[in-house]
Amino acid sequence: MKPFYNFLKNAKVQFDFALFSFAMQKLRRLAAFLLGSENCAVCKKQNVFLCNSCFCKTFALAKNVRRCKKCGRILNNGKNYCVDCAGGNIFSALDLALPVFAYTGNRKKLLQLWKMEQNRQLVFYFARFFYKYYAKYFNSIVLVGVPPRPGKIFNQGWDQIDDLVLVLQGKYKLQFAKMLLRTDGLQQKYRSRDQRINGGARYKLNPRYKGTIPKKVLLIDDVLTTGATLEECAEVLKSAGVEQVFALTLFFVPKAEK
Ligand SMILES: [Zn+2]
Ligand SMILES: [Zn+2]
């Protein structure tokens, strides 16, 4: 028994085993995707990843929902602002945010299947519903994605917003500008003195866009939590000369209401 036990304790063997099971998991998923043998993630009945009736039910919006006039969260209390926005201004650079759905129930489950469990084919469903709201409220405005945090692509291999942008560009022919870059992904020597001292801004204008700044821009992200990230991005875009900055996110994290 002892040699076998030592064999299992070997770090290299453990690593190889982890790699092997990871590869098998990917292969199984790819096969399921190609052969269509995985059942609907919501109803477990239909032989597709997310069946059409579950898609429609999950992403159906009640008519005449009331939204916070600042951050766009859906309100249930007849007031004009949510608790946070009534208390103070979260958004000053950002002109308007539309976070479409509450991040709850099956919607939360699907986003987690997409982001955390890496079911990348879900991007087509999210892109479909994203496009619906884009066409309705923000038609022909240039899209700008919120850049992923540093190391994410390296660790995970992909970023859900990059995928979303690819589908929106390729399938829906939307115009996209990579106007924002992360500053904290850069090496210290590339950061300004101010940034090094204060921790500074996390985003900066992509120098490629100097001189070709669009008048209106639509930021896109998956979940609106506090809104701080969107506001920070909007500040950079406004100081670069963009006149109006809007944001469209798939979900918002609901707040308790007074
Ligand atoms: Zn279903
Ligand atoms: Zn609000």
Side-chain angles (χ1 to χ4, degrees), residues 11-203:
K12 171 82 171 66
V13 169
Q14 279 177 6
F15 179 75
D16 287 347
F17 182 73
L19 207 64
F20 175 73
S21 34
F22 181 72
M24 284 314 285
Q25 187 197 343
K26 293 279 142 191
L27 269 176
R28 225 179 27 241
R29 240 183 228 146
L30 179 69
F33 177 52
L34 294 176
L35 304 172
S37 62
E38 208 158 332
N39 282 356
C40 171
V42 176
C43 70
K44 310 276 180 223
K45 284 181 205 150
Q46 302 284 334
N47 214 4
V48 286
F49 197 86
L50 178 63
C51 75
N52 200 48
S53 98
C54 289
F55 174 84
C56 293
K57 261 185 246 162
T58 308
F59 299 119
L61 200 57
K63 277 203 177 107
N64 304 322
V65 291
R66 196 181 177 90
R67 289 181 184 273
C68 169
K69 285 198 158 58
K70 203 76 194 166
C71 73
R73 280 189 173 82
I74 295 173
L75 302 174
N76 300 315
N77 63 359
K79 289 184 180 162
N80 287 328
Y81 297 97
C82 73
V83 184
D84 283 15
C85 296
N89 263 347
I90 305 171
F91 296 143
S92 54
L94 190 70
D95 292 288
L96 177 78
L98 176 60
V100 185
F101 289 106
Y103 184 52
T104 50
N106 280 330
R107 292 185 286 260
K108 189 170 177 175
K109 183 177 157 188
L110 286 170
L111 191 77
Q112 284 171 346
L113 278 172
W114 185 33
K115 263 170 94 165
M116 282 63 145
E117 296 187 33
Q118 317 226 12
N119 292 281
R120 285 176 77 169
Q121 70 269 43
L122 271 169
V123 68
F124 293 102
Y125 299 96
F126 288 115
R128 188 172 136 195
F129 113 62
F130 191 95
Y131 178 70
K132 184 177 150 188
Y133 289 91
Y134 174 82
K136 196 168 173 189
Y137 298 104
F138 302 103
N139 208 2
S140 76
I141 298 180
V142 179
L143 297 178
V144 173
V146 173
R149 64 181 154 63
K152 179 160 182 201
I153 303 284
F154 182 78
N155 292 327
Q156 193 171 310
W158 67 290
D159 172 59
Q160 72 279 5
I161 302 304
D162 282 351
D163 271 16
L164 187 66
V165 165
L166 277 177
V167 177
L168 291 170
Q169 271 182 307
K171 189 174 176 197
Y172 297 97
K173 309 291 174 216
L174 303 190
Q175 213 194 332
F176 173 75
K178 201 182 164 141
M179 287 177 71
L180 293 172
L181 299 174
R182 289 286 298 222
T183 53
D184 45 6
L186 302 172
Q187 288 176 22
Q188 283 292 338
K189 61 179 175 181
Y190 295 123
R191 305 182 73 195
S192 71
R193 185 169 173 273
D194 187 49
Q195 282 170 359
R196 284 199 302 270
I197 292 167
N198 301 323
R202 288 182 298 163
Y203 304 97

Side-chain angles (χ1 to χ4, degrees), residues 214-226:
K215 279 203 168 104
K216 293 179 187 179
V217 150
L218 179 69
L219 285 166
I220 64 170
D221 206 355
D222 50 2
V223 185
L224 177 131
T225 311
T226 62

Side-chain angles (χ1 to χ4, degrees), residues 197-217:
I197 292 167
N198 301 323
R202 288 182 298 163
Y203 304 97
K204 64 163 198 166
L205 182 76
N206 184 345
R208 225 171 59 200
Y209 287 90
K210 271 181 189 146
T212 54
I213 302 291
K215 279 203 168 104
K216 293 179 187 179
V217 150

